[in-house]
């Protein structure tokens, strides 16, 4: 769907993007992650053709990005906004037509979405008369009204109350099921981790990691498990695992362990079962956030 | 291209639909006509204040010959010398006209009072005294005043402009009026509509919609669409004003003047002559009315529209650039000076210098340089501007607004995405130099 190749964006005093490449597969949900100021918005603006890169190219469906692609992209900027004094209906029609829809199509699409989001009564209202949450619903509809193939959402859930955030999330997932490719850009990595198929981590203008979420997390698996059990026994040095952490609580005990080379979790269980009664076993896989922290630390130490 | 049209449409409709637009459109002509009516009414009523003047005539020439007029009552003073009269005047708050015995030789009389005499009264006294003296001198010279009056020649001068189409009556007075009014109108409108463009840009920036919009259209398209849309609003407003004012004026005119014009038309020449004789200033009035008919209204309106549009496009692009560089309206001041200065300068020059020296070198250049020409040329117009100068000026104006639009667009495209950054001229320069 989208291939970003060796993009460099230079501002007067700093380099916003330094040789960034990434690929977004058609129909996937892609997370563009990184702290504030990492260069996410600069990259998104380049994809939206708001600014141009100094070096590198962007391919959209295999073609070099050009103005004909604008109508196939829907963009929800981090800085949201609508005309305060314009009626919602007129505003929607205007934005839809700017994205290349005919007046008739725009009207039909508006009708569909206003019904779907239960906002029919808002048509004649002005933005300044709506609550923040309502405004954001309107803004979201404006983003997807032209049925874009690629939807780019910059910090999509910031500012939404939990109810609306859930509604919007469901809509996004439905659009994805219908075939749209989604790019999330956010610094709150935990909020999109479960949603994304693939991610790219950006820090200080450089991409530091990308790939499928599953693959990344697998590659960061460290044979670490967490076992909860009851019963009292003294676990000392043993040939199967190292103990990372041992906590006692009223409900029972919690053990964090790291398997030794060549051992499986079954070996550990086989050793423990005769001694204690096992309540749960989970594999400890680092979250993307933890991976990110580790990565950034590593880079800063270099 | 289609997208520019959409932007134009939105900018236009969203403004024309506003209540304030309707209000302005209807209120301004009504106020305008109302003001003229009020001025006319007040002037016709005139000062109804009557000045009482006590006359001490030591010469004995005038005393009985003063006639009371609308504003002045003459009375013989009780006192006989100036000192007494002055004391009395101080007490009664009256005016005392003291005419010395040797007034004919001295040519001077004295009007004493506590406060300043009204100009009307002063003129009345002077003209009556002159009249009396003249008659007396004529009589002394053995000329009958009646004879003199009957041979009073009356010549009025009609200025003829020699053009290729032949001789043409011109009336410079009416022409000046219309041209100067157009220059003032352009001056005001450049600011009014330029500021609207600027406010529109700031609105889009502060409401943060600009990023949504420019992910669909190019910044240049958005800027141009806004400028053209608001320009069309301006033109719509002008046209409505012209239509409304002329309708209102002709309605009022019919009401007031209808009968009189009818009776004038039906009068036979002898009567006309009589009337002309009676009314001392009649020839000039008729000349003025005739002149109005000969003012090339279409020509002036066309030139006006060209310069309004050209000047508007030139300056509103700069206004747009300023709007893009700031976060709110209060910050615009530091950038307004370079826009305000040339306009204000031309405005002042227009009425102090160009009007008096329309064909000087400085006036020529002011009416050629795009930044000053919209106002300067309108002022020069009634004095006759050669076609080639007009063509050159308009061509340069077109080049000028293409240039400012280009400069403004380069600043605009960067500025609209800069939030919370205090811009200064150095910053603007940097934005201007950014690669696209």
């Amino acid at each position: 769907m989208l291939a970003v190749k060796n993009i460099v964006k230079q501002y007067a005093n700093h380099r916003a993007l330094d040789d960034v490449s990434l690929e977004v597969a058609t129909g996937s949900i892609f997370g563009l992650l990184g702290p504030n100021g990492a260069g996410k918005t600069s990259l998104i603006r380049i994809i939206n053709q708001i600014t141009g890169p100094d070096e590198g190219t962007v391919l959209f469906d295999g073609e070099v990005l050009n103005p004909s692609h604008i109508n196939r992209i829907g963009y929800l900027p981090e800085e949201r906004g609508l005309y305060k004094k314009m009626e919602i209906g007129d505003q929607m029609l205007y934005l839809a037509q700017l994205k290349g829809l005919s007046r008739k199509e725009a009207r039909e699409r508006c009708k569909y979405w206003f019904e779907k989001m239960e906002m029919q009564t808002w048509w004649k209202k002005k933005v300044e008369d709506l609550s923040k949450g309502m405004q954001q619903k309107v803004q979201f509809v404006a983003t997807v009204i032209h049925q874009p193939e690629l939807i780019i959402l910059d910090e999509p859930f910031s500012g939404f109350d939990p109810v609306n955030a859930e509604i919007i999330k469901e809509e996004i997932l439905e659009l994805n099921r219908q075939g749209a490719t989604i790019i999330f850009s956010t610094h709150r990595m935990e909020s999109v981790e479960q949603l994304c198929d693939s991610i790219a981590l950006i820090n200080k203008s450089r991409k530091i990691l990308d790939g499928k979420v599953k693959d990344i997390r697998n590659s960061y698996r460290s044979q670490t498990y967490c076992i909860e059990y009851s019963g009292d026994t003294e676990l000392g040095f043993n040939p199967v695992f190292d103990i990372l952490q041992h906590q006692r609580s009223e409900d029972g005990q919690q053990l964090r362990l790291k398997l030794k080379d060549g051992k499986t979790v079954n070996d550990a269980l086989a050793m423990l079962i005769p001694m204690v009664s096992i309540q749960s076993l989970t594999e400890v896989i680092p979250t993307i956030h933890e991976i990110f922290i580790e990565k950034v630390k590593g880079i800063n130490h270099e | 291209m289609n997208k520019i049209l959409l932007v134009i449409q939105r900018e236009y409709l969203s403004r024309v639909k506003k209540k304030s637009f309707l209000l302005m459109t209807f209120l301004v002509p009504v106020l305008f006509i109302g003001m003229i009516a009020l001025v006319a009414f007040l002037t016709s009523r005139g000062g109804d204040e009557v000045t009482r003047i006590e006359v001490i005539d030591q010469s004995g020439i005038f005393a009985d010959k003063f006639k009371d007029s609308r504003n002045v009552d003459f009375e013989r003073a009780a006192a006989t010398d100036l000192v007494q009269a002055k004391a009395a005047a101080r007490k009664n708050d009256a005016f005392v006209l003291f005419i010395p015995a040797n007034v004919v030789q001295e040519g001077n009389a004295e009007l004493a009072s506590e406060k300043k005499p009204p100009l009307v009264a002063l003129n009345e006294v002077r003209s009556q005294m002159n009249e009396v003296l003249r008659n007396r001198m004529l009589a002394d010279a053995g000329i009958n005043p009646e004879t003199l009056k009957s041979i009073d020649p009356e010549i009025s001068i009609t200025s003829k402009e020699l053009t290729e189409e032949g001789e043409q009556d011109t009336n410079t007075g009416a022409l000046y009026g219309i041209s100067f009014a157009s220059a003032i109108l352009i001056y005001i409108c450049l600011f009014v509509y330029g500021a609207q463009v600027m406010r529109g840009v700031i609105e889009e920036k502060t409401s943060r919609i600009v990023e949504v919009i420019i992910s669909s259209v190019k910044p240049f398209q958005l800027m141009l669409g806004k400028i053209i849309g608001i320009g069309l609003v301006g033109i719509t407003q002008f046209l409505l004003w012209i239509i409304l004012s002329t309708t209102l004026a002709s309605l009022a005119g019919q009401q007031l003047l209808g009968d009189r014009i009818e009776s004038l038309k039906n009068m036979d020449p002898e009567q006309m002559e009589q009337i002309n004789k009676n009314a001392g200033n009649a020839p000039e009035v008729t000349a003025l009315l005739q002149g109005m008919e000969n003012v090339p209204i279409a020509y002036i309106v066309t030139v006006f529209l060209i310069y309004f549009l050209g000047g508007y496009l030139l300056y509103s692009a700069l206004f747009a650039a300023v709007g893009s560089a700031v976060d709110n309206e209060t910050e615009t001041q530091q950038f307004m000076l370079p826009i305000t200065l040339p306009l204000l300068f031309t405005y002042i020059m227009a009425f102090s210098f160009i009007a008096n020296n329309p064909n000087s070198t400085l006036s020529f250049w002011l009416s050629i340089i795009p930044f000053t020409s919209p106002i300067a040329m309108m002022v020069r117009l009634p004095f006759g501007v050669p076609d080639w100068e007009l063509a050159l000026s308009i061509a340069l104006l077109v080049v000028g607004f293409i240039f400012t639009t280009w400069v403004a667009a380069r600043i605009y495209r960067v500025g609209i995405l800069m939030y919370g950054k205090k811009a200064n001229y150095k910053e603007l320069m940097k934005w201007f130099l950014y690669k696209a």
Side-chain angles (χ1 to χ4, degrees), chain B residues 174-243:
Chain B
L175 206 58
Y176 290 166
I178 293 177
S179 298
F180 289 3
S182 316
I184 295 173
L185 204 58
I186 286 185
Y187 174 75
I188 295 171
C189 289
L190 288 186
F191 274 111
V192 170
Y193 293 105
Q196 279 205 31
V197 171
M198 187 177 78
R199 231 172 285 134
V201 173
I202 294 174
E203 185 208 344
E204 276 171 358
K205 208 183 158 187
T206 51
S207 75
R208 302 287 196 250
I209 194 173
V210 69
E211 197 160 345
V212 177
I213 303 279
I214 59 166
S215 67
S216 310
V217 304
K218 291 202 184 75
F220 181 69
Q221 292 175 316
L222 179 61
M223 186 179 99
L224 208 61
K226 185 176 285 293
I227 289 174
I228 295 174
I230 293 176
L232 289 176
V233 173
I235 289 177
T236 310
Q237 194 140 52
F238 281 145
L239 291 180
L240 285 174
W241 279 344
I242 290 173
I243 293 168

Side-chain angles (χ1 to χ4, degrees), chain B residues 99-367:
Chain B
I99 305 172
N102 59 348
V103 65
V104 182
Q105 292 81 11
E106 290 281 311
N108 189 22
E110 202 174 316
L111 188 66
S113 66
E114 268 282 75
K115 52 187 181 191
K116 279 206 162 116
L119 217 54
V120 199
L122 215 55
N123 285 337
E124 187 70 36
V125 171
R126 184 168 34 224
S127 77
Q128 286 206 25
M129 285 180 73
N130 278 339
E131 178 82 17
V132 172
L133 274 181
R134 190 190 305 126
N135 285 349
R136 195 188 146 87
M137 285 165 165
L138 286 171
D140 285 352
I143 301 166
N144 183 353
E146 289 306 311
T147 325
L148 189 69
K149 211 171 229 170
S150 69
I151 56 170
D152 183 22
E154 251 176 34
I155 287 181
S156 71
I157 295 175
T158 325
S159 56
K160 301 257 181 192
E161 201 178 335
L162 299 172
T163 63
E164 279 164 23
E165 294 95 58
E167 286 186 8
Q168 196 183 337
D169 282 355
T170 56
N171 185 285
T172 29
L175 206 58
Y176 290 166
I178 293 177
S179 298
F180 289 3
S182 316
I184 295 173
L185 204 58
I186 286 185
Y187 174 75
I188 295 171
C189 289
L190 288 186
F191 274 111
V192 170
Y193 293 105
Q196 279 205 31
V197 171
M198 187 177 78
R199 231 172 285 134
V201 173
I202 294 174
E203 185 208 344
E204 276 171 358
K205 208 183 158 187
T206 51
S207 75
R208 302 287 196 250
I209 194 173
V210 69
E211 197 160 345
V212 177
I213 303 279
I214 59 166
S215 67
S216 310
V217 304
K218 291 202 184 75
F220 181 69
Q221 292 175 316
L222 179 61
M223 186 179 99
L224 208 61
K226 185 176 285 293
I227 289 174
I228 295 174
I230 293 176
L232 289 176
V233 173
I235 289 177
T236 310
Q237 194 140 52
F238 281 145
L239 291 180
L240 285 174
W241 279 344
I242 290 173
I243 293 168
L244 277 173
S245 305
T246 44
T247 320
L248 271 178
S250 69
L251 276 181
Q254 268 168 14
Q255 210 73 27
L256 288 174
L257 299 172
D259 305 340
R260 213 183 293 176
I261 289 171
E262 270 312 297
S263 59
L264 270 177
K265 275 184 187 159
N266 298 333
M267 232 181 291
D268 59 274
E270 213 171 299
Q271 265 177 307
M272 272 294 247
E273 215 169 304
Q274 195 61 40
I275 287 175
N276 274 352
K277 275 226 174 101
N278 289 353
N281 55 352
E284 281 107 67
V285 171
T286 6
L288 190 74
L289 286 174
Q290 276 171 2
M292 280 297 268
E293 281 165 24
N294 291 328
V295 170
I297 295 280
Y299 174 69
I300 289 185
V301 168
T302 314
V303 176
F304 168 76
L305 282 179
I306 290 171
Y307 277 98
F308 166 69
L309 265 184
Y312 166 77
L313 290 172
L314 183 107
Y315 277 102
S316 60
L318 296 177
F319 274 105
V322 171
S324 75
V326 299
D327 280 338
N328 58 60
E329 230 177 309
T330 51
E331 285 173 33
T332 56
Q333 311 233 324
Q334 54 163 332
F335 298 118
M336 288 302 289
L337 200 65
I339 300 180
T340 322
L341 220 53
L343 278 176
L344 198 63
F345 169 73
T346 333
Y347 185 73
I348 294 168
M349 286 303 282
F351 294 102
S352 62
F353 182 82
I354 302 177
N356 297 324
N357 312 281
N359 294 318
S360 68
T361 319
L362 182 58
S363 300
F364 168 78
W365 283 111
L366 284 175
S367 68

Side-chain angles (χ1 to χ4, degrees), chain A residues 185-202:
Chain A
S185 161
T186 181
H187 65 276
R188 292 170 54 214
M189 295 160 208
E190 66 284 357
S191 69
V192 295
E193 195 178 335
Q194 304 91 331
L195 294 174
C196 293
D197 303 317
S198 309
I199 56 159
L201 284 179
I202 293 185

Side-chain angles (χ1 to χ4, degrees), chain A residues 34-275:
Chain A
N36 286 331
K40 301 188 300 288
T41 300
S42 293
L43 180 58
I44 287 175
R45 282 182 177 169
I46 288 170
I47 297 171
N48 276 301
Q49 301 178 51
I50 291 171
T51 52
D54 293 326
E55 283 170 41
T57 49
V58 179
L59 300 182
F60 187 95
D61 255 359
E63 298 167 36
V64 174
L65 201 63
N66 65 59
S68 74
H69 296 134
I70 284 176
N71 296 346
R72 296 162 68 184
I73 301 177
Y75 173 41
L76 180 71
E78 181 180 4
E79 302 280 6
R80 321 272 159 78
L82 295 161
Y83 288 109
K84 288 198 173 60
K85 304 218 178 280
M86 202 174 172
E87 285 171 13
I88 304 287
D90 286 348
Q91 194 148 203
M92 283 294 127
L93 288 177
Y94 174 57
L95 292 174
Q97 287 181 78
L98 281 186
K99 284 290 188 185
L101 262 58
S102 74
R103 200 168 170 78
K104 190 162 155 279
E105 284 170 325
R107 202 169 274 283
E108 281 164 12
R109 302 294 309 160
C110 282
K111 204 166 157 263
Y112 168 78
W113 275 104
F114 273 59
E115 271 170 28
K116 194 175 169 75
M117 303 297 275
E118 294 170 353
M119 0 191 268
Q120 293 99 317
T121 53
W122 303 358
W123 188 270
K124 285 267 166 200
K125 282 193 181 160
K126 286 178 181 167
V127 170
E128 52 188 2
D129 300 330
L130 296 182
S131 73
K132 260 262 155 60
M134 290 156 113
Q135 288 182 23
Q136 288 184 324
K137 257 183 168 176
V138 173
Q139 190 103 47
F140 173 75
V141 172
T143 309
V144 299
I145 195 143
H146 56 292
Q147 289 176 299
E149 295 159 52
L150 176 64
I151 302 172
I152 301 173
L153 307 160
D154 201 352
E155 301 293 354
F157 303 118
S158 71
F160 273 108
D161 60 80
V163 179
N164 275 321
E166 200 54 40
I167 293 174
I168 298 296
K169 200 194 246 176
E170 279 312 309
E171 291 299 334
I172 293 170
L173 291 177
E174 193 185 324
L175 287 167
N176 179 243
R177 280 195 292 277
Q178 289 166 4
T181 308
I182 317 277
I183 296 179
F184 283 119
S185 161
T186 181
H187 65 276
R188 292 170 54 214
M189 295 160 208
E190 66 284 357
S191 69
V192 295
E193 195 178 335
Q194 304 91 331
L195 294 174
C196 293
D197 303 317
S198 309
I199 56 159
L201 284 179
I202 293 185
N203 185 48
K204 293 189 179 161
S205 321
R206 287 169 173 276
K207 182 185 75 180
I208 53 175
L209 182 69
D210 70 338
K212 285 201 157 68
V213 173
K214 241 194 306 181
D215 295 346
I216 292 174
R217 291 187 61 179
N218 279 342
S219 71
Y220 279 81
R221 279 162 88 160
S222 52
Q223 297 287 72
T224 307
Y225 291 86
C226 179
I227 294 173
E228 286 177 333
Y229 65 91
S230 60
D232 208 13
T233 184
E234 206 51 51
L235 289 168
F237 177 82
N238 67 68
V240 183
F241 54 79
D242 297 320
I243 297 170
L244 298 176
Q245 200 180 25
H246 191 190
Q247 276 182 339
R248 283 165 215 270
S249 69
E250 292 194 4
D251 301 334
Q253 309 200 28
Q254 198 188 52
L255 189 69
R256 251 175 198 265
L257 53 83
K258 187 173 166 64
L259 297 173
K260 292 196 164 156
D261 283 347
K263 301 291 180 190
T264 68
V265 71
N266 283 5
D267 296 336
L269 284 177
M271 196 192 104
L272 286 169
I273 283 171
M275 301 189 277

